[in-house]
Amino acid sequence: MYTFLFIFLLFFNPVSPSSPDRYFKSLPSTLHRRHTFQEYLELTHPEPSDLLIPSCTLPVLHHSFGNTVNSPPFTVPYSPPSDCPSPWSRVVLDFHASCRGDQYDRIAALWLGGAEVLRTSTAEPTQTGIFWKVRKDITRYSSLLARSNLELTMMLENVVNEVFTGVYHINVTFFYYDDNTVRVPFSPLDDHKLDTKLGSEPTGGANMLQGLWNSYGKPADVIIPISDDRDKGFWFRIEGKSDVHSKIIRIPCNTRRAILELYVSFHGDDEFWYSNPPDSYIKSNHLPTSRGGGAYREVYVTIDEEFVASVVPFPVIFTGGINPLFWEPVVAIGAFNLPSYEFDLSPFLGNLVDGKNHNFSIGVADSIPFWLVDANLHIWLDHRKSKVKAKSIVIYPTPALSGETPFEVQRPRRVVQDRGK
Ligand SMILES: *[C@@H]1O[C@H](CO)[C@@H](O)[C@H](O)[C@H]1NC(C)=O
Ligand SMILES: *[C@@H]1O[C@H](CO)[C@@H](O)[C@H](O)[C@H]1NC(C)=O
């Protein structure tokens, strides 16, 4: 009860509408015992590649994000290492960040050729400084990683002024592993019975959540981003339930398998969407909050205006969320490596391998401002043919929705018919 009240007060505390709720850490810096940078971390599974020495190490991005609000994202050219040609057995993204001063948690993402490879959020720094590392298996993006002259882009909108002094220093390095990769000798992790066989399927990333969702297996032949132009980062900014963002794409006629990978994060009045009361409740209790819309959200995908998939995302809590003291030095699950969600769209290939343009759209049912979403379409080709035949399978109709909620969930109609091709 105490916790509930505490959370309630925290969420509905009237603050000036222009500044989001924020609690300053009360411990004066003189009381911090540390004089060196402290490491922050997210609990993760060990990755098989943790025990391997990469064949090549490529520093790809080194940048300090100071006052970057309203600036375009930071972009560097990318080409794979010449001494380590593809195919690789694994590729790992290594992300290092450090910050000192006072700062909000910030959302950030990395895109390779417009396809998102990492969604991450920052820790709130201290006066003595903090740092953290993220390791993510990015083998699934091999078809992009093998290409030369791509752009690697990072967006991290930060504000630096007299009050908020924290500048985020970021280094990103890619590690490439091949079949001759050697194990780290005498690793302290040796006792763990980890599967380090190089031929085994890569897992979805070090994140605890990602392993549950991974179904890629062998990396896709082609990756098509379903994302925005890059002026403000490649993500689509969704401002409400009627705000749908689309990309018109054409997929190869010899596609035999397609998985859509969705990246998503929630912000502003929807940062804590899973605890938002219904609007009717806010109204009848005269609550001074704009965080309404009820506590249910669904990120959905449509193709040619027909519903194909949706997910209720995992409620990742950023380091400024609920009570910042909960998240130092161990941050919430997913905060440094947000999960992405996979939808197998192969059953819809019957409508897609016709060589024509198709409209892929993303929206968030019942959302209020704002959400950042984009997706990657992973495509596996039949190399023996230039064109394959596909047929839509019968999708069993979902029973009519019954039950009562104080609010209405609005989403596109589910497609249930056999298109009989
Ligand atoms: C990034 O790399 C540079 C050069 O190697 C190093 O001086 C700096 O400390 C690194 N920063 C982080 C945050 O790892
Ligand atoms: C794509 O679909 C969305 C809705 O699903 C629609 O709002 C948009 O107008 C469509 N775009 C085109 C170019 O047809």
Side-chain angles (χ1 to χ4, degrees), residues 87-113:
W88 308 287
S89 56
R90 285 176 199 283
V91 185
V92 169
L93 181 156
D94 183 79
F95 179 98
H96 279 226
S98 71
C99 190
R100 189 162 66 177
D102 204 343
Q103 193 53 266
Y104 275 108
D105 52 346
R106 302 288 180 192
I107 190 70
L110 271 163
W111 295 268
L112 184 60

Side-chain angles (χ1 to χ4, degrees), residues 47 60 82 170 200 224 304 391:
E47 276 285 295
V60 285
S82 50
I170 309 289
S200 63
I224 303 176
D304 300 330
K391 181 178 184 299

Side-chain angles (χ1 to χ4, degrees), residues 62 96-98 131 169-171:
H62 169 54
H96 279 226
S98 71
F131 73 97
H169 304 283
I170 309 289
N171 285 348

Side-chain angles (χ1 to χ4, degrees), residues 78-80 86 88 112-113 142-150 223:
Y78 167 85
S79 288
S86 69
W88 308 287
L112 184 60
S142 291
S143 65
L144 289 171
L145 290 160
R147 281 169 57 186
S148 294
N149 306 315
L150 283 183
I223 296 173

